[in-house]
Amino acid sequence: MRILCLDIEGGHGGSSRSLYEAIAALDRSVISPEVWCRRPGPILDRYRSIDVPVRLEHSLPKVSALPRLSRNLFVMAVYCKDFVRSGTARRRLQKAVTERFDVVHFNHEAFAGLALWLRRQADVPAVMHLRTNLTDSFFARAQQWAISRAVDQRVFITPNEEASYRRLGGRGAGRVIFNPAPLRDDADPLPEIPRDEKLNVASLSNFSLGRGTDRLVDIARELGTASPVRFIMAGDCGSGPDGLPARAANAGVANSFLFLGHVPQPERVLAASDLLIKPTREANPWGRDILEAMAQGKPVLTCGQDQTFVETGVTGILMEQFDAGIAADHLRTLASDRAKVKQLGQAARPRIAALCDPRRQAAALADVWIEAAQKKRGA
């Protein structure tokens, strides 16, 4: 079965890395995948290294609903312009899907508009991965309406995404499949990261209020100038007066941070770190960075209520409500008790092995593709 997968990130985000891990674990005697990436990035070379056809198709339009009305109006205006300009790319997609593929897989709900357009142009089964929980708004409900009509099957990365989709009016068949995460213990530690008496706390998130990256400055302030913690920042942390480096400097805690920028191999950051932190405002303690940290035997400190992955005192620390002072206290305790850090990390790996085995998750995704194709043929 020939599957075309459309990826929005090119390896610069969790959805892209999750798709790669699933495709790498597929049974190629059953599934023949091809990937089109909207953004250039390191994932293209990784696909080539496992003999998966991959191409850059940067004009494919994408948009996703945002919490604020003003931002929605802006991104929708940009999307409309991009959609008109993408005519040549959309025709290439339509031709390829019609002539060469049995199923098209949209790897992110930001492709909802494109999927709806393609549904009207090509009679080919479609599957979509839903990876985010949208804030209720007219734009969010319109996006779920489009997904309801554009695809035959939906894949949710946890039950939370399915509940969000249904709550906003989403309809149609769907299945929860946790993201695949291979266990790793062979990554070379990034040499730029010091290994000394300080607790190295990694953050793999690009700077955004939703991810709560700015909260690390508040935690660093609570830890003070004699902090036993070093925050290792891998990702785009912004620039100018509103960027995280400037915020840390203005708060007098710049010495508590090591800014690395985008790192193509985040596993090397984790290999040189003691734990991962993600003080998310979105209360979603199951992101790609969390799964990869746990798969490398690193505990996680994050926010939310879902204990599927991060469980306080077992695989890390889960704060129901963020409090910078309490987070700082947790980090001080862990910095003084490295045996506890190791114990939490050792419990994290088998949990990921049980829930996110790549071969099992890839087989489940293949089953969804096959079911979508069979239903289409039956219809």
Side-chain angles (χ1 to χ4, degrees):
M1 180 170 289
R2 300 161 300 172
I3 310 296
L4 174 62
C5 297
L6 303 182
D7 167 40
I8 68 170
E9 295 176 325
H12 292 277
S15 70
S16 186
R17 290 175 64 86
S18 293
L19 177 65
Y20 169 81
E21 296 296 353
I23 289 178
L26 281 173
D27 180 352
R28 300 282 190 87
S29 68
V30 177
I31 301 293
S32 177
E34 183 173 324
V35 181
W36 290 14
C37 293
R38 188 181 182 276
R39 184 180 178 187
I43 212 73
L44 279 80
D45 286 337
R46 295 190 70 183
Y47 278 121
R48 294 181 184 115
S49 72
I50 60 171
D51 297 321
V52 171
V54 62
R55 65 185 283 180
L56 179 64
E57 194 62 77
H58 59 81
S59 297
L60 294 177
K62 61 99 176 177
V63 69
S64 192
L66 299 171
R68 287 164 38 193
L69 175 62
S70 60
R71 291 297 298 166
N72 276 309
L73 293 173
F74 174 76
V75 298
M76 285 303 301
V78 172
Y79 174 75
C80 291
K81 181 175 66 174
D82 289 345
F83 190 89
V84 172
R85 291 178 174 177
S86 70
T88 301
R90 286 186 283 115
R91 285 190 291 273
R92 280 196 295 267
L93 174 64
Q94 177 188 355
K95 186 174 188 296
V97 166
T98 302
E99 296 178 356
R100 297 198 291 116
F101 295 101
D102 300 298
V103 174
V104 58
H105 180 87
F106 297 92
N107 193 46
H108 198 283
E109 56 266 53
F111 276 136
L114 179 64
L116 188 61
W117 172 85
L118 187 63
R119 172 47 50 95
R120 294 165 177 166
Q121 310 300 319
D123 188 28
V124 176
V127 175
M128 180 171 285
H129 238 114
L130 279 80
R131 301 180 177 277
T132 58
N133 295 290
L134 300 178
T135 300
D136 194 355
S137 70
F138 167 80
F139 295 94
R141 289 181 176 270
Q143 183 171 324
Q144 311 302 44
W145 175 88
I147 294 170
S148 298
R149 286 153 181 79
V151 300
D152 303 283
Q153 294 280 350
R154 295 140 202 89
V155 177
F156 306 97
I157 61 170
T158 77
N160 303 282
E161 284 71 31
E162 180 169 20
S164 174
Y165 174 73
R166 306 293 181 196
R167 186 173 62 252
L168 295 177
R171 299 289 184 269
R175 181 173 174 182
V176 173
I177 302 175
F178 292 135
N179 282 325
L183 300 184
R184 298 187 188 279
D185 53 16
D186 58 350
D188 293 326
L190 206 64
E192 296 95 315
I193 301 176
R195 297 294 288 165
D196 51 25
E197 73 283 354
K198 288 203 171 188
L199 187 75
N200 281 336
V201 178
S203 169
L204 304 183
S205 297
N206 292 329
F207 178 51
S208 79
L209 294 180
R211 296 183 180 98
T213 331
D214 60 301
R215 289 173 161 177
L216 298 179
V217 174
D218 299 327
I219 298 173
R221 189 186 292 115
E222 291 287 340
L223 288 165
T225 55
S227 171
V229 170
R230 178 188 295 111
F231 293 103
I232 311 298
M233 309 301 297
D236 179 6
C237 289
S239 58
D242 293 327
L244 200 63
R247 293 183 184 216
N250 292 337
V253 293
N255 289 339
S256 294
F257 290 84
L258 175 60
F259 293 99
L260 299 173
H262 174 69
V263 179
Q265 297 175 300
E267 60 270 17
R268 299 188 66 192
V269 176
L270 292 169
S273 301
D274 300 297
L275 69 147
L276 179 91
I277 190 167
K278 188 174 186 178
T280 170
R281 288 185 173 86
E282 297 169 340
N284 53 349
W286 54 79
R288 184 77 216 169
D289 48 355
I290 290 174
L291 301 189
E292 292 197 7
M294 294 175 66
Q296 280 188 240
K298 309 295 178 178
V300 176
L301 192 159
T302 187
C303 303
Q305 296 183 335
D306 189 307
Q307 300 183 59
T308 303
F309 297 103
V310 184
E311 184 177 353
T312 297
V314 181
T315 62
I317 296 166
L318 185 64
M319 303 174 62
E320 289 193 15
Q321 298 293 329
F322 174 76
D323 184 291
I326 294 174
D329 288 341
H330 283 306
L331 292 175
R332 285 194 194 94
T333 299
L334 293 173
S336 64
D337 189 354
R338 300 305 176 92
K340 182 64 174 178
V341 175
K342 186 175 181 179
Q343 175 189 336
L344 294 172
Q346 287 175 337
R349 279 173 63 88
R351 181 162 298 195
I352 293 298
L355 297 174
C356 302
D357 176 72
R359 289 191 179 277
R360 188 166 60 247
Q361 306 310 96
L365 182 57
D367 286 345
V368 172
W369 291 334
I370 292 168
E371 181 179 350
Q374 290 175 338
K375 282 188 175 180
K376 196 72 172 182
R377 292 192 196 105

